C-alpha cells in the first residue's frame, strides 16, 4: 500500500509516454495494436489500484472507529470517575458539615461552661479562702492567703503579657477581669 | 475643670538600721517602733493631699536594708520620682559608704532623672562635741549635688518638713517641665495647703561646705525643745547586722512582729498592685503599650517581693523548729 503513490506516479509517467508514443505510431497499425494491449494492461493496473484504495479506506475507517471507540470508553471511564468523585465529595461535604455542626455545639458548650467555670472559679476562690480561714490553721492563715495570692498573681502576670495583642475592647474586658480578681483578694486580705 | 491625679514614687534607701521604717512610720502617723524590726523586701506607705484642682498621692517605698536576706530588686529603683538616701548620724562612715557602694549606682542606672536627697537621721543622738567630726566625715565622702537634711524619726524633727520638701521639689519640676497650664502654681498651692513657706524648706537644707558646728546645732536642737518631747537618757544600744533569718533567735527581735510586719507589707503591696491596674485602665490608647510594659515590669518585680516575703516567713518558721 505504501507504494501506491509511487505506482500512481509511474502510471502517470507511463501514460504520458504512451500518449507521445501514440502520436508517433498513429500511422503504424501494429504499433496501435501494441498500444491497445498496453492500455488494457494499464486498465488492469488501475483496477488493482482502485481495489487497493478501497481496502485502504476500509482500513482507515475501521481504525478511526477503533480510536473513536477508545475515546468513548475513556470518556466513560472519566465520567465514571468524575461521578464517583462527586459522590465522594458530596459524602465528604455532608460529613464535614456534621463535623462543623459538632464543633459548633462543642464551642457553644465550651463558651457556656467557660462562663460557668469563671463564676465557679470566683466562687471557688471565695469559698476556698473562707474555708481556709474557717479551718483556723492556727497562725497560718496569712501565709496561706499569701500562697494562694502568689499563684493567682503569677497567672495574672502571665495574662498580662498577652494584653498587648488585644484590641482595645478585649483589652479593657481582660483588664477588668484582672482587677476584679485582685479586688477579691484585696477584700479578703484587708478584711 | 477635671481634677488631675498626681502620683509620686519616692523610695527610701539606706543601710539597715539607719531608721527608714521609723521615719516613714512617724510621717504617716504610726508609732515610732520601740525596738528594731528589720524590714523584709519593701513596704509601701501612702500619703494623700487633696488640692482644689489636683489630687497628689505620695507613694513611699520603704526598702529593707539588711542585704543578706534582702536582694536588691529593680522595682526599688525604677520609675522613681524622688529618692531619700538615709544615713545614720550616729554611724556616718559605714552608712555613707553603703549609700555610695550600693544605692547611688543603682539609682543612676535605673532612675537617673529622679530627685535625690541625702538625709542624716537620728539627729537626737548627735552631741555638740561630735558635730565637727561628723561634718568632716560627710565632707570627706563628697556625695555632692544633693540637698542634705538632718532629721530625727524619734523626735519627729524635720520629718514632715522633709517630705514637704520632696513633694514641693517634685511639683516645681512638674511646673517647669510641663507645657500644661494645668499645673501652673501647683507648688505654691501645695505649700499653702500644708501651711509651710518656701523659707521653711530652704532652712532645712544644710550647706555642708559652709556650715560650722555651732550653726548646725542651732539648726537642730531648738526644734527638739520646742516639741517638748522627753528624751530618755537611756544609752544607745548598738544594732547588730543579721546575716541569716534562721538565726533570728540570737537577736533580741520579736519574730512574730516580723511576721506581722511582713503581712501588713503584703497588704500594702496588694493595694499598690490594684492601683497599678487602675492607672493602666485610665491610660490613653497611644501610650498603652508602653504602660503595659512598665506595669508588667512593676508587677514582676513586686512578685519577686512577694516571694521574698513568703520565703522569709518560711525561714522564720524553720528557726522556730530548730530551737
Ligand atoms: N535615737 C534614734 N533612734 C532611731 C531613730 N530612728 C530610728 N531609730 C532606731 O533605729 C533602729 C532601726 O530603725 P528602723 O527604722 O527599723 O531601721 P531601718 O532603716 O528601717 O532598718 P531596715 O529595715 O533593716 O533596713 C530602731 O531601733 C529605731 O528605734 C532616731 O531618729 N533616733
Ligand atoms: Mg525598715
Amino acid at each position: 500500500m505504501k507504494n501506491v503513490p509511487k505506482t500512481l506516479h509511474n502510471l502517470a509517467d507511463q501514460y504520458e509516454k504512451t500518449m507521445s508514443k501514440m502520436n508517433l505510431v498513429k500511422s503504424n497499425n501494429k504499433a496501435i495494436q501494441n498500444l491497445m494491449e498496453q492500455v488494457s494492461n494499464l486498465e488492469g493496473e488501475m483496477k488493482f489500484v482502485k481495489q487497493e484504495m478501497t481496502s485502504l479506506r476500509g482500513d482507515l475507517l475501521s481504525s478511526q472507529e477503533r480510536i473513536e471507540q477508545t475515546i468513548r470508553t475513556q470518556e466513560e471511564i472519566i465520567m465514571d470517575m468524575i461521578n464517583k468523585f462527586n459522590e465522594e465529595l458530596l459524602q465528604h461535604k455532608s460529613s464535614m458539615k456534621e463535623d462543623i455542626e459538632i464543633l459548633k455545639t462543642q464551642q457553644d458548650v465550651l463558651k457556656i461552661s467557660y462562663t460557668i467555670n469563671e463564676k465557679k472559679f470566683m466562687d471557688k476562690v471565695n469559698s476556698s479562702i473562707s474555708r481556709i480561714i474557717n479551718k483556723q490553721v492556727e497562725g497560718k492563715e496569712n501565709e496561706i492567703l499569701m500562697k494562694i495570692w502568689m499563684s493567682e498573681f503569677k497567672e495574672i502576670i502571665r495574662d498580662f503579657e498577652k494584653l498587648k495583642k488585644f484590641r482595645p475592647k478585649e483589652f479593657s474586658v481582660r483588664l477588668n477581669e484582672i482587677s476584679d480578681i485582685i479586688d477579691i483578694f484585696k477584700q479578703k486580705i484587708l478584711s | 475643670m477635671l481634677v488631675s491625679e498626681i502620683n509620686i514614687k519616692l523610695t527610701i534607701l539606706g543601710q539597715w538600721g539607719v531608721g527608714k521604717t521609723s521615719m516613714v512610720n512617724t510621717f504617716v502617723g504610726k508609732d515610732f517602733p520601740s525596738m528594731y524590726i528589720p524590714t523584709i523586701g519593701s513596704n509601701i506607705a501612702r500619703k494623700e493631699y487633696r488640692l482644689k484642682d489636683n489630687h497628689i498621692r505620695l507613694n513611699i517605698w520603704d526598702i529593707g536594708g539588711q542585704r543578706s536576706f534582702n536582694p536588691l530588686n529593680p522595682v526599688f529603683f525604677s520609675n522613681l520620682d524622688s529618692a531619700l538616701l538615709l544615713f545614720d548620724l550616729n554611724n556616718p562612715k559605714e552608712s555613707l559608704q553603703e549609700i555610695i557602694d550600693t544605692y547611688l549606682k543603682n539609682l543612676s542606672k535605673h532612675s537617673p532623672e529622679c530627685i535625690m536627697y541625702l538625709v542624716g537621721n537620728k539627729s537626737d543622738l548627735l552631741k555638740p562635741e561630735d558635730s565637727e567630726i561628723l561634718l568632716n566625715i560627710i565632707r570627706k565622702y563628697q556625695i555632692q549635688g544633693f540637698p542634705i537634711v538632718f532629721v530625727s524619726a524619734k523626735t519627729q524633727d524635720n520629718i514632715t518638713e522633709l517630705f514637704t520638701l520632696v513633694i514641693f521639689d517634685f511639683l516645681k519640676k512638674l511646673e517647669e517641665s510641663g507645657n500644661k497650664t494645668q499645673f501652673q502654681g501647683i507648688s505654691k498651692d501645695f505649700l499653702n495647703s500644708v501651711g509651710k513657706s518656701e523659707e521653711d524648706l530652704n532652712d532645712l537644707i544644710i550647706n555642708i561646705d559652709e556650715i560650722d558646728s555651732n550653726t548646725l546645732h542651732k539648726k537642730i536642737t531648738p526644734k527638739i525643745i520646742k516639741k517638748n518631747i522627753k528624751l530618755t537618757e537611756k544609752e544607745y544600744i548598738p544594732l547588730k547586722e543579721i546575716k541569716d533569718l534562721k538565726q533570728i533567735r540570737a537577736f533580741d527581735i520579736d519574730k512574730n512582729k516580723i511576721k506581722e510586719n511582713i503581712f501588713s507589707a503584703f497588704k500594702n503591696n496588694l493595694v499598690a498592685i490594684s492601683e497599678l491596674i487602675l492607672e493602666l485602665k485610665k491610660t490613653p490608647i497611644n501610650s498603652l503599650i508602653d504602660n503595659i510594659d512598665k506595669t508588667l515590669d512593676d508587677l514582676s518585680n513586686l512578685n519577686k517581693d512577694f516571694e521574698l516575703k513568703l520565703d522569709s516567713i518560711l525561714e522564720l518558721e524553720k528557726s522556730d523548729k530548730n530551737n
Side-chain angles (χ1 to χ4, degrees), chain B residues 76-285:
Chain B
F76 305 157
F77 302 102
S78 44
N79 305 319
L80 293 186
D81 296 304
S82 317
L84 300 183
L85 296 162
L86 240 69
F87 68 102
D88 187 343
L89 292 171
N90 207 45
N91 176 23
K93 276 189 191 162
E94 248 185 69
S95 53
L96 281 168
Q97 193 61 52
E98 176 84 347
I99 287 175
I100 292 170
D101 291 346
T102 311
Y103 300 110
L104 273 180
K105 273 182 205 141
N106 275 297
L107 280 175
S108 57
K109 184 175 154 202
H110 294 282
S111 280
E113 301 277 289
C114 87
I115 314 174
M116 297 182 226
Y117 304 81
L118 192 61
V119 180
N121 185 35
K122 309 191 187 178
S123 63
D124 57 287
L125 294 174
L126 192 60
K127 296 185 193 108
E129 60 268 30
D130 294 336
S131 341
E132 195 55 52
I133 307 168
L134 172 79
L135 287 174
N136 282 329
I137 291 172
I138 300 174
R139 286 183 193 120
K140 213 189 83 204
Y141 275 92
Q142 291 211 321
I143 303 178
Q144 277 160 346
F146 317 129
I148 299 179
V149 179
F150 285 4
V151 301
S152 165
K154 187 169 186 174
T155 62
Q156 301 186 21
D157 200 42
N158 281 348
I159 297 289
T160 333
E161 289 79 2
L162 172 63
F163 283 97
T164 308
L165 176 69
V166 168
I167 299 171
F168 177 73
D169 285 346
F170 173 85
L171 294 176
K172 261 240 132 88
K173 196 174 162 188
L174 191 68
E175 280 174 334
E176 282 156 18
S177 69
N179 35 15
K180 288 183 193 164
T181 47
Q182 186 184 4
F183 296 129
Q184 228 55 70
I186 184 174
S187 58
K188 284 251 159 59
D189 284 352
F190 167 70
L191 277 192
N192 288 337
S193 78
V194 294
K196 290 264 165 7
S197 71
E198 236 173 294
E199 287 78 61
D200 293 337
L201 300 184
N202 284 334
D203 249 10
L204 268 184
I205 297 164
I206 290 167
N207 187 336
I208 198 75
D209 294 322
E210 286 168 16
I211 202 162
D212 57 73
S213 56
N214 272 338
T215 334
L216 176 70
H217 255 272
K218 272 185 215 134
K219 243 179 149 71
I220 35 184
T221 19
K223 287 186 198 151
I224 302 173
I225 297 159
K226 210 164 60 196
K227 280 195 178 148
N228 203 14
I229 289 169
K230 256 191 250 155
L231 286 181
T232 44
E233 280 302 306
K234 226 170 89 186
E235 203 41 47
Y236 177 74
I237 311 155
L239 302 168
K240 274 183 260 166
E241 183 172 9
I242 305 161
K243 298 275 189 203
D244 186 350
L245 263 188
K246 283 198 283 289
Q247 308 301 317
I248 201 92
R249 266 267 173 128
F251 299 82
D252 190 19
I253 293 174
D254 183 353
K255 230 168 25 195
N256 287 327
K257 261 269 155 47
I258 299 187
K259 285 193 202 169
E260 239 169 68
N261 282 357
I262 289 178
F263 196 64
S264 113
F266 170 72
K267 288 184 204 171
N268 288 333
N269 277 4
L270 205 58
V271 175
I273 286 169
S274 73
E275 265 159 21
L276 277 174
I277 305 283
L278 210 70
E279 199 105 316
L280 194 62
K281 276 192 200 168
K282 284 188 247 163
T283 309
I285 301 251

Side-chain angles (χ1 to χ4, degrees), chain A residues 143 149-150 164 176 179 186, chain B residues 274 281 293 306-307 317:
Chain A
E143 283 115 273
W149 161 251
M150 292 284 299
K164 271 191 282 186
N176 279 334
S179 70
K186 231 171 82 182
Chain B
S274 73
K281 276 192 200 168
D293 282 339
F306 279 131
E307 278 166 357
E317 250 140 48

Side-chain angles (χ1 to χ4, degrees), chain A residues 140 142-143 146-147 149-150 153-154 157 160-161 164 168 171 175-176 178-179 182 186 189-190, chain B residues 263 266-267 270 273-274 277 280-281 288-289 292-293 295-296 299 303 306-307 309-310 313 317:
Chain A
K140 292 268 167 54
N142 292 345
E143 283 115 273
M146 276 174 85
K147 272 181 201 155
W149 161 251
M150 292 284 299
F153 190 46
K154 285 211 180 76
I157 289 178
F160 227 82
E161 287 171 32
K164 271 191 282 186
F171 174 83
L175 207 56
N176 279 334
I178 289 176
S179 70
I182 294 173
K186 231 171 82 182
I189 289 172
L190 297 189
Chain B
F263 196 64
F266 170 72
K267 288 184 204 171
L270 205 58
I273 286 169
S274 73
I277 305 283
L280 194 62
K281 276 192 200 168
L288 201 57
I289 298 276
I292 293 177
D293 282 339
T295 312
L296 186 59
L299 290 184
N303 188 36
F306 279 131
E307 278 166 357
K309 289 189 165 89
L310 201 57
I313 288 188
E317 250 140 48

Side-chain angles (χ1 to χ4, degrees), chain A:
Chain A
M1 270 187 300
K2 256 191 229 152
N3 37 19
V4 171
K6 221 180 188 173
T7 327
L8 269 174
H9 202 259
N10 288 347
L11 272 173
D13 260 353
Q14 276 185 24
Y15 185 77
E16 201 95 308
K17 278 179 198 161
T18 316
M19 283 310 271
S20 65
K21 270 186 191 167
M22 271 206 2
N23 283 337
L24 269 170
V25 290
K26 239 174 195 172
S27 51
N28 196 335
N29 270 336
K30 221 176 176 177
I32 289 171
Q33 243 180 3
N34 247 338
L35 232 154
M36 289 306 277
E37 268 170 43
Q38 277 182 19
V39 167
S40 81
N41 274 351
L42 246 173
E43 271 175 351
E45 274 192 50
M46 287 286 269
K47 223 185 194 165
F48 172 73
V49 169
K50 246 187 190 166
Q51 271 169 7
E52 282 287 283
M53 297 246 311
T54 325
S55 85
L56 191 72
R57 195 187 286 145
D59 278 358
L60 245 166
L61 274 175
S62 73
S63 81
Q64 206 171 335
E65 216 169 288
R66 242 193 348 265
I67 291 171
E68 272 173 11
Q69 183 60 44
T70 322
I71 289 177
R72 261 197 305 279
T73 29
Q74 273 181 357
E75 246 175 15
E76 271 163 27
I77 292 171
I78 289 173
M79 277 318 279
D80 258 13
M81 280 163 72
I82 288 177
N83 284 339
K84 221 170 161 187
F85 179 76
N86 268 342
E87 241 170 67
E88 276 176 20
L89 197 74
L90 272 173
Q91 264 176 5
H92 239 84
K93 247 187 182 168
S94 67
S95 82
M96 241 158 75
K97 242 188 193 161
E98 266 171 44
D99 283 352
I100 289 171
E101 280 308 313
I102 292 171
L103 277 178
K104 259 192 193 153
T105 46
Q106 276 178 355
Q107 217 177 24
D108 284 343
V109 171
L110 272 179
K111 263 188 207 155
I112 295 166
S113 66
Y114 176 77
T115 11
I116 294 174
N117 271 336
E118 216 181 11
K119 215 196 149 300
K120 264 197 199 149
F121 167 74
M122 289 303 185
D123 291 345
K124 227 167 78 185
V125 170
N126 271 324
S127 73
S128 74
I129 288 175
S130 45
R131 203 178 56 236
I132 286 159
I133 290 174
N134 289 339
K135 255 207 229 154
Q136 290 285 328
V137 191
E138 216 207 304
K140 292 268 167 54
E141 304 95 314
N142 292 345
E143 283 115 273
I144 291 163
L145 266 177
M146 276 174 85
K147 272 181 201 155
I148 297 173
W149 161 251
M150 292 284 299
S151 62
E152 193 53 39
F153 190 46
K154 285 211 180 76
E155 204 65 41
I156 290 173
I157 289 178
R158 221 168 298 140
D159 264 11
F160 227 82
E161 287 171 32
K162 294 181 215 143
L163 276 183
K164 271 191 282 186
K165 289 178 210 126
F166 287 152
R167 268 165 286 151
K169 221 177 177 174
E170 295 171 297
F171 174 83
S172 64
V173 169
R174 269 316 285 147
L175 207 56
N176 279 334
E177 281 172 13
I178 289 176
S179 70
D180 283 349
I181 294 175
I182 294 173
D183 276 347
I184 290 177
F185 275 95
K186 231 171 82 182
Q187 278 165 25
K188 284 292 164 197
I189 289 172
L190 297 189
S191 64

